[in-house]
Amino acid sequence: MDASTSLTGGFADPVFAAQSVFRAVMDCMARPGTIGTIGSEATAPGALGAAQAAIALTLCDADTPVWFADTLASPALSAWLAFHTGASVAPDPTTAKFAFLGLGGVPHPDFPIGTQDYPDRSATVVIEVSGFEAGEPFTLSGPGIAGTQPLSVAGLFPDFRTFWQANRAEFPRGIDLILTAGTRLVALPRSVRILD
Amino acid sequence: MSAVTMSEAGTNFAYLDEETKRMIRRAILKAIAIPGYQVPFASREMPMPYGWGTGGVQVTAAVIGPDDVLKVIDQGADDTTNAVSIRAFFRKVARVAVTTHTAEATVIQTRHRIPEHPLIEGQILVYQVPIPEPLRFLEPRETETRTMHALEEYGLMHVKLYEDIAHHGRIATSYAYPVKVAGRYVMDPSPIPKFDNPKMHLSPALQLFGAGREKRIYAIPPHTDVRSLDFEDHPFEIQRFDEPCALCGARNVYLDEVILDDRGGRMFVCSDTDNCESRQADAQKETAA
Ligand SMILES: [Zn+2]
């Protein structure tokens, strides 16, 4: 393992970077389908995207086991996460509070969706996509959206609509999704419906 | 400034340590994803007593950044001890700009009112909440109310409101009037007058609620359906005032009764002091012009 990559790549100014990244994520979560931008740079070893790395640094710690998809996972990445956040890698998908997936990654069916009593005890899944300009068009509706919100996503896993419909059907349980493309992000909280 | 001891404020940006902020931030994101659901969080001791809005203060502290402009109101007023203390607290610990003007604020922390000036896209309204559980007066046990929310069993709530009508001829609950959020969770809007309830419906602003003592955070995303509970034969109604504000002449705003003397003299004035003062200033400008 290359120790230098684990000890570098954090936020230059952790307190203010975390605040601004959180606000970007919160704004996106409150307005599903709108595109946000991460302004603070973070670099993780391997293929973890820039926004994904920033989200990990902002929200993960010793209380949040983190799941990395096989395409991202490496000893260097685990060491980077542990060094900068104190978070450990989830031993299995059922214990994941956050999950990071690469291009085309499909959420593990065992990620926690919370319980009817505690629907907040669910995973937040962050998936890298190739962009929000071209790609598959979606029309969204739900809390946070005035009327409908168009969204295009390129590089999302096949049959995403069916997956999301099943996730929405579990409401108030369900996973919350953050799609990232480089430094940009779009959030799809479980409350969102895909109309067509 | 007795309740908030500034020497205790420490050196963390926005007072809270980063671990606490992360925990609160995660709770806020889940609260937004499940509109109206009360997310438990590990509330911290704040340098002010409960009842001074420690839940709202923690939410504001987790959200606020150096570019924000903060407004704090207590019962509509910017100049009460509580509002002044909280504003001074954030000026000190987060070095944020502060304002009394609703339109200039990016973050507004409130106790018991929603500003009269319509909120806009991008603004965040943070409510201080004493009792977050709308079913508490029907069922004191947390395990039971949690099950009621889980099963969407809100029949008892409706029965209670209907009994109110039977006894009073109308729904007597005029503060903390329960709402249903996004067609799912029944939620306590905090002790705002029910006059303000319609302002929550489809608001372009993000509404966050923090209960410090009870350790709950909940949220209403922008543009979300918020309905006050009612009945077909007894629709929800807000308070009406017969006369306009005695100071600025505003109608269709929430008025406070002010006792003028001990011989029964009184007048009704805007509860929202910023709105009232802005209207008076505008009127003066017009007279001068
Ligand atoms: Zn007035």
Side-chain angles (χ1 to χ4, degrees), chain B residues 244-251 253-255 268-273 275-277 279-280:
Chain B
C245 169
L247 298 177
C248 75
R251 291 181 187 275
V253 297
Y254 193 76
L255 302 178
F268 285 90
V269 300
C270 287
S271 136
D272 184 332
T273 52
N275 194 56
C276 194
E277 283 159 16
R279 285 177 52 85
Q280 292 177 60

Side-chain angles (χ1 to χ4, degrees), chain A residues 154-178:
Chain A
L156 200 50
F157 63 88
D159 217 10
F160 174 72
R161 285 163 201 277
T162 310
F163 167 81
W164 192 256
Q165 215 165 30
N167 189 57
R168 184 64 185 76
E170 300 287 346
F171 193 88
R173 299 179 297 161
I175 62 162
D176 302 309
L177 211 54
I178 300 173

Side-chain angles (χ1 to χ4, degrees), chain A residues 5 7 9 11 28 30 34 39-40 47-48 53-54 76 79 93 98 144 168 179 188:
Chain A
T5 57
L7 303 180
F11 288 135
C28 287
T34 60
S40 301
L48 195 71
F98 286 86
R168 184 64 185 76
L179 305 177
L188 297 176

Side-chain angles (χ1 to χ4, degrees), chain B residues 10-268:
Chain B
T11 53
N12 291 320
F13 177 76
Y15 184 76
L16 297 173
D17 61 86
E18 290 303 297
E19 185 188 353
T20 301
K21 280 188 222 162
R22 268 196 304 277
M23 177 268 297
I24 295 172
R25 286 167 179 166
R26 291 193 297 260
I28 290 172
L29 295 179
K30 289 301 174 191
I32 292 170
I34 317 165
Y37 166 75
Q38 302 163 49
V39 180
F41 81 110
S43 181
R44 293 291 191 264
E45 290 292 325
M46 297 301 287
M48 56 196 76
Y50 289 123
W52 276 63
T54 56
V57 167
Q58 288 178 83
V59 169
T60 297
V63 162
I64 207 158
D67 300 333
D68 278 309
V69 180
L70 176 70
K71 172 181 164 79
V72 182
I73 50 171
D74 179 11
Q75 310 259 21
D78 299 85
D79 57 359
T80 65
T81 313
N82 187 324
V84 169
S85 296
I86 292 171
R87 203 162 55 232
F89 174 73
F90 280 111
R91 241 171 114 159
K92 165 133 178 134
V93 300
R95 298 179 292 282
V96 293
V98 296
T99 184
T100 57
H101 298 312
T102 299
E104 290 173 0
T106 56
V107 178
I108 301 169
Q109 184 171 322
T110 179
R111 175 173 174 269
H112 300 188
R113 276 309 310 278
I114 299 175
E116 304 289 1
H117 194 282
L119 300 178
I120 57 166
E121 195 78 41
Q123 287 184 311
I124 302 167
L125 184 59
V126 179
Y127 296 75
Q128 301 172 199
V129 181
I131 301 168
E133 179 49 72
L135 307 171
R136 177 65 44 84
F137 68 97
L138 298 169
E139 173 53 68
R141 286 168 298 178
E142 145 88 15
T143 49
E144 294 300 311
T145 54
R146 188 162 287 283
T147 304
M148 289 156 83
H149 285 296
L151 301 176
E152 217 175 338
E153 255 182 30
Y154 297 127
L156 264 179
M157 189 80 197
H158 273 94
V159 168
K160 142 77 183 139
L161 288 178
Y162 211 86
E163 280 174 353
D164 235 36
I165 294 169
H167 290 143
H168 305 281
R170 63 190 165 82
I171 296 173
T173 309
S174 53
Y175 293 88
Y177 189 102
V179 295
K180 193 172 225 187
V181 180
R184 177 57 178 84
Y185 282 96
V186 167
M187 190 197 90
D188 184 313
S190 85
I192 57 172
K194 67 179 180 178
F195 180 90
D196 283 341
N197 275 22
K199 294 177 186 158
M200 291 189 286
H201 179 58
L202 303 181
S203 172
L206 169 62
Q207 301 174 76
L208 302 175
F209 299 77
R213 191 180 47 227
E214 305 249 350
K215 303 178 171 57
R216 295 288 183 275
I217 287 171
Y218 49 103
I220 305 174
H223 312 293
T224 296
D225 193 271
V226 180
R227 306 277 170 174
S228 301
L229 300 186
D230 66 355
F231 307 91
E232 250 173 59
D233 49 342
H234 290 277
F236 172 77
E237 280 177 352
I238 60 172
Q239 294 99 326
R240 301 263 172 219
F241 300 93
D242 299 332
E243 42 196 311
C245 169
L247 298 177
C248 75
R251 291 181 187 275
N252 304 315
V253 297
Y254 193 76
L255 302 178
D256 286 332
E257 187 178 351
V258 178
I259 307 296
L260 295 172
D261 51 46
D262 53 10
R263 296 187 302 275
R266 52 180 203 150
M267 65 176 184
F268 285 90

